[in-house]
């Protein structure tokens, strides 16, 4: 995970698989280096590897481009405060090894699964990326939004509701559950 840059690649008859993979690896290294050079000085990230790991979590957390920098801010704020990331996609990766979709809701038992990737049980970032982050997620990891928010949850409309306090977060969770239960 995280070594191949996700993009559309054009190739011609005779191109080898090895050559295409090399192009994908080269583009990932270039994108990471570019974002590392633009790293916000207030970032908690210490290495390019950490940049790629955080970007991979952001990639899996949202498909909404406009939310990525804000999600990055939440994660960096949590890490700065010594809080766990508590990111569902890391638990899904722990359960599936990144080999398949989960195809069900996470359970409380899932959140207790022992794995170095489970950010509900482990402090800090997981040991490696959980996906191959795209350019927008790499940029968000390097340049988080300016925010004091430390929570977010799905809003039931494809995005997320963000909060600075646990009580506001709990209200957002209750709203999401009501929407989810109306659909089911």
């Amino acid at each position: 995970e995280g070594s191949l840059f996700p993009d559309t690649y054009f190739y011609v008859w005779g191109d080898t698989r090895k050559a295409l993979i090399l192009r994908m690896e080269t583009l990932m290294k270039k994108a990471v280096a570019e974002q590392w050079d633009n790293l916000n000085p207030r970032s908690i990230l210490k290495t390019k590897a950490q940049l790629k790991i955080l970007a991979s979590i952001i990639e899996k957390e949202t498909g909404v481009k406009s939310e990525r920098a804000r999600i990055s801010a939440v994660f960096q704020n949590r890490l700065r405060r010594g809080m766990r990331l508590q990111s569902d996609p890391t638990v899904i990766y722990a359960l599936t090894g990144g080999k398949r979709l989960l195809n069900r809701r996470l359970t409380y038992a899932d959140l207790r699964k022992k794995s170095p990737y489970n950010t509900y049980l482990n402090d800090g970032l997981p040991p490696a990326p959980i996906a191959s982050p795209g350019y927008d997620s790499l940029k968000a990891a390097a340049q988080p939004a300016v925010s004091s928010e430390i929570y977010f949850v799905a809003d039931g409309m494809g995005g997320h509701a963000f909060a600075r306090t646990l009580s506001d977060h709990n209200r957002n969770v209750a709203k999401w559950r009501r929407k989810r239960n109306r659909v089911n």
Side-chain angles (χ1 to χ4, degrees), residues 92 95-96 100-110:
I92 293 168
L95 295 169
T96 66
R100 60 182 171 80
L101 295 175
L102 189 58
N103 288 326
R104 63 173 176 81
R105 290 184 186 156
L106 283 176
T107 65
Y108 288 110
D110 294 335

Side-chain angles (χ1 to χ4, degrees), residues 105-148:
R105 290 184 186 156
L106 283 176
T107 65
Y108 288 110
D110 294 335
L111 302 182
R112 293 188 298 271
K113 173 161 174 60
K114 292 187 181 191
S115 166
Y117 289 91
N118 185 340
T119 58
Y120 278 83
L121 297 179
N122 301 301
D123 296 335
L125 294 167
I130 62 167
S132 288
Y135 187 81
D136 293 332
S137 293
L138 288 165
K139 183 177 180 182
Q143 300 170 33
V146 175
S147 168
S148 58

Side-chain angles (χ1 to χ4, degrees), residues 1 13-14 27 39-40 56 63 91 107 121 131 138 142-143 146 159 177:
E1 302 290 357
W13 182 263
L27 277 175
L39 186 72
N40 183 314
S56 76
V91 176
T107 65
L121 297 179
L138 288 165
Q143 300 170 33
V146 175
R177 286 185 176 148

Side-chain angles (χ1 to χ4, degrees), residues 30-44:
K30 181 180 175 185
V32 169
E34 180 181 321
Q35 291 311 314
W36 186 253
D37 289 345
N38 294 314
L39 186 72
N40 183 314
R42 292 182 20 114
S43 173
I44 54 89

